[in-house]
Amino acid sequence: MSLFSAGEWQQYQRHIQLEQVGIEGQFRLKNATVLVVGAGGLGCPVVMYLGAAGVGKITIIDGDSVSQSNLHRQVLYAFSDIGKPKASVASDRVKQNNPFISVSDITTHLSAANIDELIAKVDIVLDCTDNFATRLLLNEACLAHRKPWVYASVLGLEGQLALFMPSSACFRCVFPDLPTDIADCNSAGVLSTLPGLVGLLQANTCLEYLLNPQQENLSRLHLFSGKNNQIRSISLQQNPQCDACAPSDRGAAKQAELNTSTSDDEVNIHEAEKSLLALGPQVFVQQLLAVRNLKGSSDSAVRKHAVLLDVRSTDEHRGFNIGGQCLPLSDDFTDVFHAKHAERTKSIFIYCQSGKRSYEAAALLQAKGYGRVYSLEGGLGELLRHPKLVEKLQEG
């Protein structure tokens, strides 16, 4: 089974050709879930480009309707859309561009009543609003749920942008004393192109994170000037006295309650990816078959480019296996493997009964310089709960 449908393959060709994205990166985007708060000047370019890029699940929340004064900067909307809910119109436009993704709209404002449920389901949040109250709400919720979020704001000819990570400086570290009389676009105006420019930077920041969630994300505030098209960046430091993110026993206890395991029925590469890739059954099988299909259909080609490895005992392997070589985990495991597979560019798919031995084996191989190592999370015990996946393996 292919990772992408024929339509998706056509839609994302220019992405997949990029070395920085490729098949695995595009598959991460396909499995990503994003919450976009606000469908105004920033939200319009954000949702269009995230949707066009192939982000699999996008939720747009905005309680406002399109007005004529929006149209000079919110170019996603038409004159005939005046009076319609922004979130609904934006959702329809995104789906018209890319029918292969899921886009949902919520035509109410983000609030304390709905924020926890919405944020708990997503990989990253984008703040496309124009008020500090919502940003404070987002900051608190994202810290509590350990979610990254991209802040952006525009006014006049100036814009700001920052990616706030759970372990970095937070919004309150940067803005400890919030202004009470700051102007907004409605009262001070904004150059029509500025939200588009900053919104694109916001979408790009989101894509960079989704494609490389383990990269070192330096905490920086980016300041954009529409007057001279210059961007300058300020390094941000976490405030040990911050009311929102300063370490505390209460915060640690609250976080412990939020640590829940990911459902294997909703596998997401981004969530599973740690120091190495531990993939749930669905993604493990899809990735293995994808490598086989891409590298060639002959047995010799499969053996050359992809290795399926059972690290259980020979008796366990003889009793039942899903194919591949049997190389029991032992003290000389890496030496024996290297003697057979010296080339470190191969894709290595490892399984055992419960996932424990395969994860240990994957860690050992990764430490030896093998970069494409995948462990079957939950092992055969979990895989056998999905008969159709086993059939796919046997057919592939």
Side-chain angles (χ1 to χ4, degrees):
M1 179 180 177
S2 300
L3 289 175
F4 304 100
S5 66
E8 289 172 325
W9 186 254
Q10 287 288 92
Q11 190 94 353
Y12 307 137
Q13 267 296 294
R14 297 300 178 264
H15 255 189
I16 292 171
Q17 289 170 333
L18 278 174
E19 181 181 352
Q20 296 86 346
V21 180
I23 291 172
E24 289 187 13
Q26 192 63 48
F27 195 66
R28 288 194 187 107
L29 296 182
K30 179 178 178 177
N31 284 277
T33 304
V34 170
L35 173 65
V36 179
V37 184
L42 292 168
C44 285
V46 162
V47 297
M48 282 304 299
Y49 276 88
L50 292 185
V55 172
K57 293 183 180 179
I58 300 174
T59 298
I60 307 168
I61 180 169
D62 193 309
D64 290 334
S65 299
V66 179
S67 66
Q68 190 170 356
S69 62
N70 299 147
L71 299 181
H72 95 293
R73 66 193 183 279
Q74 298 175 18
V75 296
L76 186 64
Y77 308 122
F79 193 87
S80 58
D81 294 323
I82 293 174
K84 297 178 182 177
K86 288 183 180 179
S88 299
V89 178
S91 176
D92 290 339
R93 295 286 192 276
V94 175
K95 286 183 282 190
Q96 287 173 20
N97 173 269
N98 189 351
F100 306 108
I101 62 174
S102 171
V103 187
S104 58
D105 60 275
I106 301 174
T107 56
T108 60
H109 292 295
L110 189 72
S111 68
N114 59 26
I115 190 169
D116 287 317
E117 181 181 359
L118 290 171
I119 287 183
K121 301 175 182 178
V122 303
D123 299 314
I124 189 170
V125 181
L126 290 98
D127 162 44
C128 300
T129 65
D130 60 359
N131 67 86
F132 276 93
T134 300
R135 290 167 188 151
L136 287 176
L137 195 63
L138 279 171
N139 188 63
E140 181 178 354
C142 287
L143 283 171
H145 290 272
R146 306 292 294 173
K147 303 288 186 178
W149 67 290
V150 187
Y151 151 77
S153 69
V154 292
L155 187 66
L157 300 178
E158 308 294 328
Q160 297 181 354
L161 173 78
L163 170 62
F164 291 116
M165 300 287 289
S167 58
S168 69
C170 79
F171 182 78
R172 287 303 298 268
C173 290
V174 183
F175 302 102
D177 300 314
L178 301 181
T180 57
D181 57 347
I182 190 170
D184 60 17
C185 294
N186 293 327
S187 59
V190 60
L191 186 67
S192 64
T193 54
L194 193 73
L197 289 164
V198 177
L200 283 176
L201 292 174
Q202 201 175 8
N204 191 66
T205 300
C206 176
L207 292 178
E208 286 182 337
Y209 172 80
L210 293 174
L211 290 169
N212 300 287
Q214 301 304 315
Q215 70 177 339
E216 183 179 3
N217 290 293
L218 299 177
S219 186
R220 306 187 71 84
L221 176 67
H222 305 286
L223 306 174
F224 178 78
S225 171
K227 186 175 181 180
N228 53 24
N229 285 339
Q230 289 185 349
I231 299 177
R232 59 190 181 94
S233 298
I234 301 173
S235 180
L236 303 179
Q237 300 295 326
Q238 192 169 22
N239 180 3
Q241 304 302 319
C242 177
D243 293 335
C245 70
S248 67
D249 293 338
R250 181 178 60 84
K254 187 173 183 179
Q255 176 55 36
E257 295 175 1
L258 292 169
N259 288 333
T260 57
S261 59
T262 303
S263 169
D264 284 322
D265 292 329
E266 297 177 355
V267 179
N268 185 310
I269 291 182
H270 162 54
E271 291 294 334
E273 195 169 59
K274 301 182 179 67
S275 60
L276 51 84
L277 284 176
L279 304 181
Q282 181 178 348
V283 179
F284 184 90
V285 172
Q286 288 176 331
Q287 291 280 64
L288 173 59
L289 295 181
V291 173
R292 285 178 171 177
N293 292 335
L294 287 169
K295 299 302 181 181
S297 58
S298 69
D299 289 343
S300 61
V302 171
R303 286 193 297 269
K304 182 179 179 181
H305 295 284
V307 178
L308 179 60
L309 196 64
D310 183 355
V311 293
R312 300 175 301 159
S313 69
T314 53
D315 285 342
E316 288 176 291
H317 181 80
R318 188 166 58 248
F320 175 79
N321 66 80
I322 55 173
Q325 307 168 22
C326 180
L327 182 58
L329 188 60
S330 61
D331 292 339
D332 60 349
F333 169 76
T334 54
D335 293 333
V336 175
F337 182 86
H338 182 70
K340 295 182 178 181
H341 307 283
E343 183 185 346
R344 287 183 168 84
T345 59
K346 295 180 178 180
S347 297
I348 306 165
F349 298 84
I350 309 175
Y351 69 93
C352 64
Q353 185 60 34
S354 66
K356 184 177 180 180
R357 282 174 286 179
S358 63
Y359 192 91
E360 182 180 349
L364 289 171
L365 291 180
Q366 190 180 66
K368 288 293 184 180
Y370 291 89
R372 300 174 180 175
V373 187
Y374 309 90
S375 170
L376 175 59
E377 191 173 30
L380 290 177
E382 184 61 32
L383 177 65
L384 292 174
R385 293 177 56 195
H386 307 272
K388 291 184 179 179
L389 293 180
V390 179
E391 292 176 8
K392 289 178 183 178
L393 273 176
Q394 295 171 341
E395 293 171 357

